Amino acid sequence: MIITDMDSKKPLFRLYLLCCLIPLLAIACRAQLIKKPPVKTTNSSESFSINSSVLRVGSTGDYPPLTSFDTLTHQFQGDEIDLALRLGKDLGKKVIFIKTTWKDLDTDLLTSKFDIAIGGISVNAARAKQFNFSVPLLMDRKVAVFRLADRNRFKDFNSIDQPAVRIMENIGGTNEIFAQKHIQRATIHVIPDNQQVFKALSDNNADVMFTDETEAKYQQKKHPELYWITLNDDISPAYAKAMMFNKTDTVLQRKVNEWLKKENK
């Protein structure tokens, strides 16, 4: 039998492979044994809302009788402000009110500048895509507000939507959205402050405002020179007003709803 040089080197080659593989196998096994534990994630906004000693409530302060802001005292008041204070007491939290605007309301809530938004907030499909809501606080609908002297001029929506009519709304809220959606011929003017619209109507600097029936009733008592009419259901169906939460704050939403159900008994 002939033994070649290659045959004589086979045992050495096997030994070489074995020496190389053993350390590699040891490293692989050690990597399997030493695994990092899974990271437990928490949602910062929900954790803050539930565990914090305070409840941050955002409101525009320009929707009486539900929310008003006194620029001299920097204090909020109104039906839904009182509701928020009772809620905070029930949850064992100090309520801090944070001023926002209709234009900034959604962004401020999304960026967790406050935990709950209140004060005449309408439930609609666009908001429901981004936020959760409490059970309804009240049902409302859009109406038209104008000077009492024009009650024979404005009988219905068609008589309002005419080229010579000046519509005025506050920026960023559902009033502006309603006007932009339905008005075809009248002129729409948009201003920053909701309360200034009623002054513009009284001073004959605007003709008509679309707002919620709740606000219209309140403003007519405050300004007897104003008048309002309901609109057809196909233009102005009823909708709910509610507290608004971030989608992640489901525990807070549940606690609020449980409290509201007890409050309404």
Side-chain angles (χ1 to χ4, degrees):
M1 181 175 63
I2 300 173
I3 299 176
T4 65
D5 185 58
M6 182 62 70
D7 291 332
S8 65
K9 293 180 180 179
K10 283 183 178 179
L12 293 175
F13 182 69
R14 292 193 186 99
L15 181 61
Y16 172 77
L17 287 176
L18 188 61
C19 291
C20 292
L21 289 174
I22 287 174
L24 291 174
L25 289 170
I27 292 171
C29 291
R30 188 169 181 270
Q32 289 295 319
L33 292 172
I34 305 175
K35 289 184 176 180
K36 291 183 178 180
V39 178
K40 184 179 180 181
T41 59
T42 59
N43 184 278
S44 59
S45 60
E46 180 172 324
S47 176
F48 179 83
S49 298
I50 299 304
N51 298 324
S52 175
S53 61
V54 301
L55 179 67
R56 300 169 303 162
V57 177
S59 191
T60 62
D62 64 351
Y63 192 92
L66 304 181
T67 176
S68 297
F69 181 75
D70 191 317
T71 56
L72 295 178
T73 64
H74 294 276
Q75 297 294 313
F76 281 88
Q77 61 182 5
D79 295 345
E80 290 191 16
I81 300 301
D82 294 340
L83 188 71
L85 290 170
R86 295 199 302 273
L87 171 63
K89 184 177 180 180
D90 184 81
L91 294 177
K93 297 177 184 294
K94 178 182 178 182
V95 177
I96 297 176
F97 292 103
I98 298 172
K99 183 90 164 57
T100 186
T101 65
W102 292 110
K103 182 181 178 181
D104 298 327
L105 177 68
D106 292 1
T107 301
D108 286 351
L109 183 55
L110 282 172
T111 55
S112 296
K113 289 187 177 179
F114 38 81
D115 307 307
I116 300 177
I118 67 165
I121 297 174
S122 304
V123 178
N124 57 42
R127 283 177 175 159
K129 290 179 181 179
Q130 299 186 87
F131 305 104
N132 287 337
F133 293 91
S134 69
V135 295
L137 303 178
L138 59 91
M139 297 302 294
D140 219 328
R141 60 184 297 178
K142 294 298 180 193
V143 300
V145 182
F146 45 84
R147 288 177 297 280
L148 178 64
D150 287 333
R151 66 186 182 276
N152 292 324
R153 177 186 179 190
F154 300 129
K155 295 288 190 179
D156 52 25
F157 183 82
N158 287 335
S159 60
I160 292 171
D161 190 16
Q162 297 298 323
V165 177
R166 301 165 297 171
I167 310 292
M168 183 172 286
E169 305 292 352
N170 61 292
I171 190 170
T174 56
N175 294 342
E176 181 193 3
I177 293 172
F178 179 89
Q180 298 288 0
K181 179 180 179 180
H182 294 288
I183 290 297
Q184 301 294 323
R185 293 178 289 275
T187 303
I188 301 174
H189 301 275
V190 179
I191 64 173
D193 189 347
N194 184 55
Q195 291 305 294
Q196 291 302 312
V197 180
F198 299 101
K199 185 177 187 305
L201 292 174
S202 298
D203 294 345
N204 198 19
N205 291 323
D207 298 314
V208 178
M209 174 196 191
F210 298 111
T211 189
D212 300 315
E213 185 174 340
T214 300
E215 185 177 37
K217 289 178 177 178
Y218 173 85
Q219 292 294 343
Q220 187 181 37
K221 290 179 181 178
K222 188 177 179 181
H223 302 281
E225 71 277 11
L226 298 181
Y227 191 75
W228 62 273
I229 60 171
T230 58
L231 305 171
N232 293 339
D233 289 343
D234 59 335
I235 294 177
S236 178
Y239 48 81
K241 296 219 176 267
M243 298 185 188
M244 193 163 72
F245 316 84
N246 272 314
K247 285 282 189 184
T248 53
D249 279 333
T250 54
V251 176
L252 179 59
Q253 178 194 23
R254 176 174 54 80
K255 287 181 177 292
V256 170
N257 281 339
E258 289 172 354
W259 176 78
L260 285 172
K261 289 175 182 177
K262 290 189 297 183
E263 182 85 354
N264 293 331
K265 282 184 179 180

